[in-house]
């Protein structure tokens, strides 16, 4: 086979191999369960339209369930449980269910203003159950992330070097094993945390950062998207078979070029 013909055939093969990767959204096949009937930041709320559409546009599916009826069967086939700012509160059985879900490999994205003034104790029951403690008061945040290599900062949705706060609380620095501090307030208390155990959890002590219009500030949209890619354990890299095909193709091209020379 001539070099030109081999190159043409290789291009076709690579195009076919890469097509599924290119066509699929970052969150393609990721199923999200959204809790409704809460104080703020449910994906069903009108001021969450941009945040919701960002997830849907990348291939995710979103199912809504009211907090009062949330039960184990709702988590069947779900990759990520999303919880905004809770006012009415979960029951102890529901909290245990959420813990068991993450321990079993499920993903959790939980956002809430960890402030004593704003329903914090009700939301903190989730954070507390994972060994976190919320702190009261508003605070400014540091201009840059604490961990630039965190998948929340550097992930498939892009690189986040700035964060525009809306209503920012914080967590205590006493943290459970498996916790990574992503971003801190100027008082050195964590604002964004991830927990990587069997499943993955993302905690953000700012319930408004992804609401309209705040999601348009800084790199808030990137942080929001990467939180779901991380907790959904999305791997945007090519599949091993695709990488193998790429390697073989490049080797073949090199060999054909040597023969031609």
């Amino acid at each position: 086979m001539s070099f030109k013909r081999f190159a043409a055939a290789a291009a076709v093969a690579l195009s076919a191999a890469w097509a599924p990767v290119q066509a699929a959204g970052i969150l393609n096949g990721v199923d999200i369960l959204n809790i409704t009937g809460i104080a703020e930041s449910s994906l069903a709320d009108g001021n969450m339209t941009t945040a919701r559409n960002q997830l849907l546009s990348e291939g995710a599916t979103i199912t809504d369930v009211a907090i009062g009826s949330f039960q184990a069967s709702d988590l069947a086939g779900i990759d990520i449980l999303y919880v905004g700012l809770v006012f009415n509160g979960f029951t102890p059985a529901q909290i245990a269910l959420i813990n068991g879900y993450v321990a079993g490999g499920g993903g959790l994205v939980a956002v809430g203003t960890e402030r004593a003034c704003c329903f914090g104790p009700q939301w903190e029951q989730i954070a507390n159950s994972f060994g976190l403690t919320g702190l009261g008061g508003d605070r400014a945040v540091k201009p840059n992330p604490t961990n630039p290599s965190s998948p929340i900062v550097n992930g498939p949705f892009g690189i986040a070097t700035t964060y525009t706060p809306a209503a920012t609380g914080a967590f205590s620095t006493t943290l459970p094993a498996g916790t990574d501090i992503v971003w801190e307030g100027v008082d050195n208390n964590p604002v964004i945390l991830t927990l990587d155990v069997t499943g993955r959890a993302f905690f953000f002590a700012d319930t408004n950062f992804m609401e309209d219009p705040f999601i348009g500030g800084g790199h808030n949209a990137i942080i929001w998207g990467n939180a779901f890619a991380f907790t959904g354990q999305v791997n945007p890299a090519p599949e091993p078979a695709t990488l193998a095909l790429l390697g073989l193709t490049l080797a073949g091209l090199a060999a054909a070029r040597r023969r031609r020379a």
Side-chain angles (χ1 to χ4, degrees), residues 179-195:
T179 304
D180 180 48
I181 300 175
V182 180
W183 218 296
E184 293 175 314
V186 293
D187 57 0
N188 297 320
N189 287 306
V191 172
I192 305 176
L193 298 170
T194 59
L195 180 64

Side-chain angles (χ1 to χ4, degrees), residues 14-208:
L14 279 174
S15 177
W18 280 97
V21 177
Q22 294 172 332
I26 296 172
L27 300 176
N28 189 52
V30 174
D31 294 316
I32 301 169
L33 182 66
N34 170 55
I35 302 295
T36 66
I38 59 178
E40 284 188 67
S41 305
S42 165
L43 287 173
D45 292 349
N47 60 1
M48 290 287 287
T49 300
T50 302
R52 185 183 183 102
N53 287 343
Q54 179 182 349
L55 305 178
L56 293 174
S57 67
E58 291 295 341
T61 59
I62 301 173
T63 302
D64 297 329
V65 62
I67 187 171
S69 59
F70 170 57
Q71 57 187 325
S73 59
D74 295 317
L75 291 171
I78 294 298
D79 300 296
I80 303 171
L81 171 65
Y82 169 74
V83 183
L85 178 61
V86 177
F87 176 60
N88 295 322
F90 289 101
T91 66
Q94 289 174 324
I95 291 296
L97 174 60
I98 294 171
N99 273 255
Y101 170 69
V102 175
L108 170 66
V109 173
V111 298
T113 303
E114 289 285 5
R115 299 182 297 166
C117 71
C118 303
F119 320 124
Q122 285 80 10
W123 187 83
E124 286 170 15
Q125 64 183 164
I126 301 176
N128 293 162
S129 69
F130 283 92
L132 304 175
T133 302
L135 301 177
D138 284 315
R139 62 198 27 79
V141 297
K142 292 183 177 180
N144 302 115
T146 304
N147 182 4
S149 63
S150 165
I152 304 301
V153 173
N154 189 349
F157 280 83
I159 299 174
T161 58
T162 64
Y163 151 54
T164 300
T168 309
F171 300 98
S172 166
T173 54
T174 301
L175 302 170
T179 304
D180 180 48
I181 300 175
V182 180
W183 218 296
E184 293 175 314
V186 293
D187 57 0
N188 297 320
N189 287 306
V191 172
I192 305 176
L193 298 170
T194 59
L195 180 64
D196 194 347
V197 287
T198 306
R200 292 175 173 178
F202 168 89
F203 296 95
F204 202 156
D206 186 340
T207 192
N208 305 118

